[in-house]
Amino acid sequence: MGERQAAAVDDVPRGPGEADAGGWAADLAPLTGWTSKADAVASVLRKRVTEGRLRPDERLSEEEVCRILRISRNTLREAFRMLTHERLLEHRPGQGVFVRRLTVEDVADLFRLRRLLEPAAVREVRERPAGLDRLAAAVAEAESPAAKGDWRALGTANMHFHQALVALAGSPRADELMGRVLAELRLVFHVMPDMEDFHEAYRARNRHILGLLERGEGQAAADYLTGYLDDAERELVAEYRKVADGR
């Protein structure tokens, strides 16, 4: 099952409501070449989580999503099973399917996986790598007027940066895995208080990583990323624990 990253950002998170019906259909329309229709639908749902348009504890109505996307219940249920396996959705007996709310342990495990993926993706870089333009575009996206004062847009740009970083490894499987990791992380940011200061600090650090890779300093970039991820985990887990504890 492939993963396609979305470039568009919807500043107002929305579920599968009538007002957003055209957006759902537009998301599904360009998806071709998938193993099955369920794969394509799962990609639409995953994209909406990553972009912030589906939020933790939001219920997904089978009837409504099937009507908007013009798919069968069997197709949607298969997509739901895929995303439940990916820990993005959960079935609550007697209530339906909901976007999952992560635990503090989930957050720590996501960073454990990121430390395996991201530094390894850049460690062997010895010269300016092909694909660095995508990374530079993500840095520029974070500097754009749309991202200034809007931490959700800034957070999406940051996710694009880390997806592009892993893409430097040239592994479709790593790309797919990173896409799933980032979708889960978006669920963390949804329940946090204002994250502007957090994202602002890492915007500058992303620029530094880009500079190292432009000079072909892959080992230095990998070492810097390890510290970057350690700091991000410590800060995020501390804040997320407060939210989880109701403080």
Side-chain angles (χ1 to χ4, degrees):
M1 179 168 59
E3 173 66 23
R4 312 272 174 97
Q5 285 299 306
V9 177
D10 187 335
D11 293 336
V12 181
R14 292 175 295 188
E18 189 68 44
D20 199 25
W24 279 79
D27 285 345
L28 185 61
L31 297 178
T32 59
W34 294 85
T35 304
S36 70
K37 190 70 170 287
D39 284 335
V41 173
S43 180
V44 169
L45 295 169
R46 191 183 304 109
K47 168 185 171 182
R48 291 198 151 230
V49 170
T50 303
E51 291 182 349
R53 291 187 279 176
L54 290 174
R55 305 173 66 100
D57 296 323
E58 183 171 342
R59 182 177 178 274
L60 299 178
S61 164
E62 280 192 12
E63 181 179 356
E64 193 172 5
V65 176
C66 286
R67 176 177 54 79
I68 291 170
L69 296 182
R70 299 180 182 179
I71 57 175
S72 70
R73 285 183 181 266
N74 285 340
T75 295
L76 182 60
R77 287 171 180 170
E78 178 60 24
F80 280 171
R81 279 192 290 271
M82 293 176 186
L83 297 181
T84 299
H85 180 71
E86 294 177 21
R87 301 182 179 87
L88 293 179
L89 304 181
E90 64 181 2
H91 179 263
R92 300 178 186 175
Q95 298 181 64
V97 175
F98 291 77
V99 180
R100 187 167 171 259
R101 180 177 290 263
L102 272 61
T103 66
V104 172
E105 291 73 22
D106 289 324
V107 178
D109 193 44
L110 286 169
F111 275 91
R112 193 174 298 121
L113 180 54
R114 291 183 71 184
R115 277 190 291 270
L116 293 173
L117 277 176
E118 296 186 52
V122 301
R123 185 169 290 117
E124 301 305 318
V125 169
R126 298 290 182 270
E127 58 186 24
R128 191 183 195 279
L132 201 64
D133 288 348
R134 180 179 169 190
L135 198 70
V139 169
E141 181 185 350
E143 303 287 351
S144 71
K148 295 187 183 302
D150 181 352
W151 73 260
R152 293 187 189 279
L154 186 56
T156 298
N158 186 56
M159 291 186 174
H160 291 164
F161 176 86
H162 289 281
Q163 185 75 58
L165 197 69
V166 170
L168 294 175
S171 167
R173 289 175 176 82
D175 288 347
E176 180 180 344
L177 182 55
M178 190 61 184
R180 294 178 182 180
V181 168
L182 293 175
E184 283 195 79
L185 275 175
R186 190 66 183 227
L187 297 179
V188 175
F189 294 137
H190 272 315
V191 299
M192 301 286 283
D194 190 349
M195 294 293 294
E196 184 175 354
D197 289 344
F198 177 86
H199 287 304
E200 183 65 36
Y202 287 89
R203 175 165 62 175
R205 297 179 80 167
N206 289 352
R207 286 197 301 268
H208 181 70
I209 292 168
L210 175 62
L212 290 172
L213 293 174
E214 285 176 333
R215 298 190 295 273
E217 299 177 25
Q219 184 61 57
D223 292 343
Y224 186 81
L225 259 170
T226 298
Y228 172 121
L229 292 171
D230 287 344
D231 291 345
E233 178 186 5
R234 183 172 57 255
E235 294 170 23
L236 202 55
V237 165
E239 290 301 316
Y240 198 69
R241 183 170 281 114
K242 292 178 185 178
V243 172
D245 292 344
R247 286 182 280 165

